[in-house]
Amino acid sequence: QVQLQESGPGLVKPWQTLSLTCTVSGGSITTSYYAWSWIRQPPGKGLQWMGVIADDGSTDYSPSLKSRASISRDTSKNQFSLQLSSVTPEDTAVYYCARSSAAVAGTTDWTDYEYWGPGTQVTVSS
C-alpha cells in the first residue's frame, strides 16, 4: 500500500519561499510509469494542479506557476519536494501530494490520482 505524507511549515510570510516535502512509503518514486504531483486547494475554491515530477526526474508545471514553482526529489529518502517562491496570501491553501500514472501526468481529472497524502494547510500571512 502506497502512502504519501506532506510536511512543512504551516505559516509562511509574504514574499518568502514556501517549501514542502512529500514522503512516500510502500513504493519507490523512481518506479517506472508513475508520476508524482503537487496539487492545492485554496479556501472556497477547487483543486489546482501545480506541477509534477516523473519517474525519470523530469518535471512539468502549471503555466500560471512555472515562474515560481520548482519540484525536486531525493531518491535516497524517497521524497519529492515543492518550492514556491514569492508567495502571497493568494497562495494560502491545503497542499496535497499525489501519484498518478505517468501516461496522464498533469491531469486535472482527479480520479486519475490513485494515491493522495492527507494534505497540509499552508497560510501566507505576516
Side-chain angles (χ1 to χ4, degrees), residues 12-118:
V12 182
K13 294 186 184 301
W15 306 112
Q16 290 188 342
T17 296
L18 180 164
S19 296
L20 296 175
T21 296
C22 182
T23 300
V24 179
S25 60
S28 172
I29 61 173
T30 61
T31 299
S32 297
Y33 310 122
Y34 293 120
W36 307 84
S37 286
W38 284 100
I39 298 162
R40 68 181 181 180
Q41 186 166 27
K45 298 184 179 181
L47 293 167
Q48 299 177 355
W49 178 76
M50 302 181 68
V52 63
I53 186 164
D55 56 303
D56 63 356
S58 60
T59 55
D60 192 17
Y61 302 95
S62 167
S64 65
L65 296 172
K66 193 169 186 176
S67 63
R68 298 196 292 131
S70 178
I71 298 176
S72 60
R73 67 181 185 176
D74 185 336
T75 57
S76 68
K77 296 180 180 179
N78 214 35
Q79 296 175 332
F80 63 105
S81 298
L82 169 73
Q83 289 199 313
L84 186 66
S85 63
S86 303
V87 296
T88 71
E90 286 66 41
D91 293 308
T92 294
V94 177
Y95 285 73
Y96 299 95
C97 53
R99 191 187 87 172
S100 71
S101 164
V104 293
T107 180
T108 54
D109 181 346
W110 309 117
T111 64
D112 283 332
Y113 293 91
E114 52 186 337
Y115 294 106
W116 294 73

